[in-house]
Amino acid sequence: MPEIIVKFADKVIERVVTEKDHISIGRTSDNDIVLDNRGISRRHARIDFADNQPELIDLDSLNGTFVNQMKVIRQFLRDNDKITIGKFDLIFFQDSQTSAKMSDIEETAVLNTKLQREMTQAVKSNPLEDLMETRPIPIHSHGDSKSDRKEHH
């Protein structure tokens, strides 16, 4: 079964193993591989798996599709080919890589987007403690003798 490892900033974010005849790649949720970035077309590319000859097809995307750093419209894929779409790299394998490290997927990716930076800056300029109301909470004593204390089970 073919496998595609999806990476963003050299971090594995998804591992796709498929038995389908083709898979779609694009920005919208109706794609098999969703690459959520405005620089990626809604229906960006497709991989056809006919006759054991996987072929990548660019679907007239605005920013193009690259295989091993060369812009392509149609390209037969081989093991370890690197497909670049926007800021994402997709590593293609004809057969699923059983040795793939799934621990890479469990790591949290560091976001470095404009929106993320703006939100982080907003939090830094308005610290949470400035937004919270502080008021004392009274502590009441119910006596100090042992007879006043009851254990509840």
Side-chain angles (χ1 to χ4, degrees):
M1 286 183 286
E3 176 182 35
I4 298 157
I5 307 291
V6 182
K7 294 183 173 186
F8 180 80
D10 283 333
K11 296 284 186 189
V12 174
I13 59 171
E14 186 176 11
R15 178 179 173 258
V16 178
V17 178
T18 186
E19 292 182 343
K20 293 175 122 186
D21 293 334
H22 68 271
I23 59 169
S24 59
I25 304 166
R27 187 177 73 227
T28 57
S29 62
D30 59 335
N31 287 286
D32 299 303
I33 297 177
V34 177
L35 304 177
D36 189 15
N37 183 279
R38 292 199 46 130
I40 295 167
S41 299
R42 288 182 186 100
R43 306 284 286 168
H44 197 99
R46 181 180 75 231
I47 301 175
D48 291 334
F49 299 103
D51 300 324
N52 212 21
Q53 276 292 324
E55 183 178 21
L56 174 70
I57 303 165
D58 181 90
L59 301 176
D60 295 323
S61 66
L62 182 61
N63 292 311
T65 303
F66 299 80
V67 175
N68 302 324
Q69 301 180 346
M70 296 193 60
K71 189 171 184 177
V72 299
I73 295 172
R74 296 179 82 95
Q75 175 71 41
F76 287 108
L77 297 173
R78 296 176 292 154
D79 273 345
N80 216 28
D81 274 347
K82 180 169 81 170
I83 303 162
T84 302
I85 298 177
K87 296 181 178 184
F88 295 87
D89 289 326
L90 293 79
I91 310 302
F92 175 81
F93 296 99
Q94 181 66 38
D95 294 305
S96 178
Q97 300 293 298
T98 57
S99 63
K101 295 191 300 183
M102 292 304 293
S103 62
D104 289 346
I105 295 174
E106 295 172 4
E107 293 180 15
T108 301
V110 176
L111 295 178
N112 191 19
T113 63
K114 181 180 178 186
L115 177 60
Q116 187 269 341
R117 288 189 300 271
E118 288 171 356
M119 290 188 305
T120 301
Q121 186 60 38
V123 170
K124 287 179 181 178
S125 63
N126 294 315
L128 192 56
E129 55 269 6
D130 291 347
L131 302 174
M132 295 176 59
E133 179 183 334
T134 305
R135 57 190 164 112
I137 301 173
I139 299 175
H140 299 286
S141 174
H142 296 292
D144 289 340
S145 70
K146 288 184 181 178
S147 61
D148 289 337
R149 292 187 210 145
K150 295 183 181 175
E151 292 186 22
H152 298 283
H153 294 283

